[in-house]
Amino acid sequence: MSAETLEYHYGKHLQTYIDNLNKMIEGSPYEDMPVEDIIRKATGGIYNNAAQTWNHTFFFQTLSPSAPAIPERLGKALTDNFGSVEAFKEAFTKAAISLFGSGWVWLTEDAEGKLSILQEPNAGNPLTKGLKPLLTIDVWEHAYYIDYRNRRAAYIEAWWQLVDWAKVDERL
Ligand code: MN
């Protein structure tokens, strides 16, 4: 992920969602609400900008330059739910490649501790379904067009090298 992509994606796209949200909620009942509550309650533009703010923050918080190994507990959870870590990565990659248009693919945990892969279009966020997000990839074109142009699969392959598995494990 190049410096230019970070400059645009983190510095401009995310900032625009934050600025839009702040403008939209001014003087409304959402003004002092935690962003997670806004995501659960709002619709339309307020929902979109709140969810995009949350999704991007979560996405960038799960990147690491040092490619930490998958902690044992997380590795076991992935194996229990998907057969193996490799099978999970394969299924997640397939979901990210096949999501039509813009959106996000999530690894989520439900109240019983079951892990699932969820494809969400546009600003979709698992909190609206009562699921706990553990990991996400942004597959909007702005996430990869500077570095990979139309090659979403190449971006996904490179993104795996940046996943902060320690952070994902903490969220379990
Ligand atoms: Mn994005």
Side-chain angles (χ1 to χ4, degrees):
M1 193 175 288
S2 68
E4 191 182 359
T5 285
L6 278 176
E7 191 184 308
Y8 274 82
H9 197 190
Y10 184 84
K12 295 185 193 294
H13 285 280
L14 170 55
Q15 191 61 51
T16 301
Y17 293 124
I18 294 169
D19 293 345
N20 286 343
L21 177 64
N22 283 333
K23 258 181 256 159
M24 287 173 156
I25 63 177
E26 213 180 311
S28 85
Y30 297 112
E31 189 165 12
D32 297 314
M33 217 179 261
V35 69
E36 289 82 4
D37 291 347
I38 301 178
I39 289 169
R40 290 189 189 100
K41 289 174 184 169
T43 56
I46 292 181
Y47 170 82
N48 285 334
N49 284 283
Q52 286 293 79
T53 294
W54 198 97
N55 295 357
H56 280 91
T57 304
F58 186 87
F59 171 76
F60 286 114
Q61 282 173 346
T62 317
L63 299 180
S64 164
S66 58
I70 297 183
E72 208 180 312
R73 185 176 71 137
L74 176 61
K76 188 183 177 306
L78 292 172
T79 300
D80 289 348
N81 284 272
F82 301 100
S84 68
V85 170
E86 276 318 301
F88 158 69
K89 287 171 88 170
E90 215 171 281
F92 194 92
T93 297
K94 204 173 159 191
I97 289 171
S98 65
L99 175 59
F100 185 78
S102 296
W104 302 81
V105 172
W106 301 84
L107 173 66
T108 63
E109 182 178 20
D110 72 11
E112 280 76 48
K114 187 187 177 335
L115 305 189
S116 301
I117 294 168
L118 186 66
Q119 283 179 318
E120 285 282 338
N122 302 315
N125 181 299
L127 294 173
T128 61
K129 299 182 160 81
L131 297 167
K132 182 198 274 189
L134 301 177
L135 171 70
T136 194
I137 185 168
D138 182 347
V139 293
W140 284 57
E141 280 186 351
H142 68 226
Y144 56 89
Y145 226 77
I146 291 171
D147 294 336
Y148 298 98
R149 298 300 174 191
N150 59 318
R151 294 179 298 128
R152 187 189 283 190
Y155 154 71
I156 296 164
E157 195 185 327
W159 170 80
W160 283 119
Q161 311 307 311
L162 300 175
V163 172
D164 187 344
W165 293 109
K167 196 56 80 55
V168 180
D169 181 64
E170 268 171 35
R171 294 170 181 148
L172 260 183

